[in-house]
Amino acid sequence: MTWPTGLTGLAVGLLIAVVTAPVGVSGAVFLLPVQVSVLGVPSPAVTPTNLLYNVVAGPGALLRHHREGLLHSPLTRRLVTGTLPGVVIGAVVRVFAVPGATAFRLLIAALLIPLGLWLIGRTLPPTRPAPAAEPSPRTVTRLALAVGVVGGIYGIGGGSIIGPVLVGRGMPVARVAPAALASTFVTSVAGAAAFALLSLTGSGDIAPDWYLGLACGLGGLIGGYLGAHLRPRLPETALRLLLGALATALGAVYAVQSLR
C-alpha cells in the first residue's frame, strides 16, 4: 500500500464515520464500494478488510456511548447474541460459496431503498402515525442472526440494515445506535478472526489488506468519536431522517454498481 492510498483511506474512513456514527452505522457499508472501485481491494479480501475497519474504528464511538452509560442494555445483548454466530457462518459462506457480489448488491438495494424511503415518509408528515409496536426480544435476536450472516459474507457490520428496521418499528435512535455499533464491533472482531484462520487453509485473496484496513480504521476511530459526540445534539427527527437518507443512498449506490 502506498502513502497516498493510505491517506485516502484514512480521510474516507474519517468522513464516513462522522456522518454515520450518530445513527448507529459503522460506515463500512459506504467504505465497501470505495475499497472496490477506488482503492482496488480484490474480492473476497475486501470483506475482511472492511471488518478490520470496523474493529479499529468501533472503539471511538463506543467509548463515547460508554461514557454516556448507553452500552449496557438488553437490546445490546440481544443483538450481540444473534450477530456473533451469524458472522462466523457468513465468513464460511463467503469464502466457499459466494465469491461474487452482484447478487448481494441487488438484494441490499431492494431492501434498503424502500426501507429508507419508508422511514423518511414516517418521519416527515406533520401528523405522525401511531408508533409501531416494538419487535419482541425473540424477533430481534432472529433478525440479528440474519444480519450477522450478511455481515460475515460482505463485511458491512449490519447496523445499516438492522438500524432502520428497529427505528421504523418504534425504537428511538438513541437506544438503537449504541446497541447496533456494539454488535457491529463484536461481530467484526469474530469475522476478521474467522477470515484470518480461513486464509491459512484456503487459496486466493482471503486475508484482509492489513495496512489499508488499519488506515481506514484509524480515520473511522477519530470520526466515530466525533460522530457519537454529535448524536445528543441532534433531535430525534433529524436522526431518523439521516438514517433513512443513508439507507436510501446506500441502496442507490449498490443498485448502480450492480448494473455495471
Side-chain angles (χ1 to χ4, degrees):
M1 182 188 73
T2 63
W3 277 106
T5 300
L7 291 176
T8 299
L10 188 147
V12 171
L14 189 153
L15 292 174
I16 289 175
V18 168
V19 176
T20 59
V23 291
V25 178
S26 71
V29 286
F30 291 95
L31 184 62
L32 184 63
V34 174
Q35 289 194 62
V36 173
S37 303
V38 179
L39 301 178
V41 181
S43 181
V46 65
T47 296
T49 303
N50 234 27
L51 291 172
L52 180 60
Y53 161 82
N54 285 337
V55 172
V56 178
L62 293 177
L63 176 62
R64 188 71 197 184
H65 289 312
H66 175 71
R67 289 179 175 177
E68 296 173 1
L70 300 175
L71 283 182
H72 304 290
S73 70
L75 180 60
T76 301
R77 290 192 290 273
R78 293 185 194 114
L79 294 186
V80 171
T81 299
T83 54
L84 191 54
V87 74
V88 177
I89 296 171
V92 175
V93 172
R94 174 62 161 145
V95 171
F96 295 107
V98 190
T102 300
F104 161 75
R105 289 169 179 165
L106 286 173
L107 178 63
I108 293 300
L111 173 67
L112 289 184
I113 291 176
L115 185 60
L117 293 175
W118 173 70
L119 184 56
I120 293 172
R122 285 181 57 85
T123 306
L124 283 177
T127 303
R128 293 277 301 278
E134 291 189 6
S136 67
R138 182 174 296 181
T139 299
V140 170
T141 302
R142 289 174 177 172
L143 178 62
L145 176 63
V147 167
V149 173
V150 173
I153 295 174
Y154 296 103
I156 64 172
S160 61
I161 299 174
I162 202 169
V165 172
L166 295 181
V167 171
R169 289 293 301 273
M171 292 186 177
V173 176
R175 180 180 167 196
V176 172
L181 286 172
S183 67
T184 294
F185 174 74
V186 172
T187 54
S188 295
V189 171
F195 271 99
L197 292 175
L198 289 169
S199 69
L200 300 178
T201 59
S203 59
D205 299 304
I206 298 176
D209 185 325
W210 293 98
Y211 295 108
L212 182 59
L214 291 173
C216 294
L218 179 59
L221 179 70
I222 301 169
Y225 185 87
L226 295 175
H229 181 72
L230 291 174
R231 187 200 54 76
R233 292 163 173 76
L234 298 174
E236 176 73 11
T237 298
L239 290 172
R240 290 170 66 92
L241 289 175
L242 176 59
L243 184 57
L246 287 175
T248 305
L250 178 64
V253 168
Y254 276 85
V256 171
Q257 287 196 335
S258 67
L259 298 176
R260 292 180 179 176

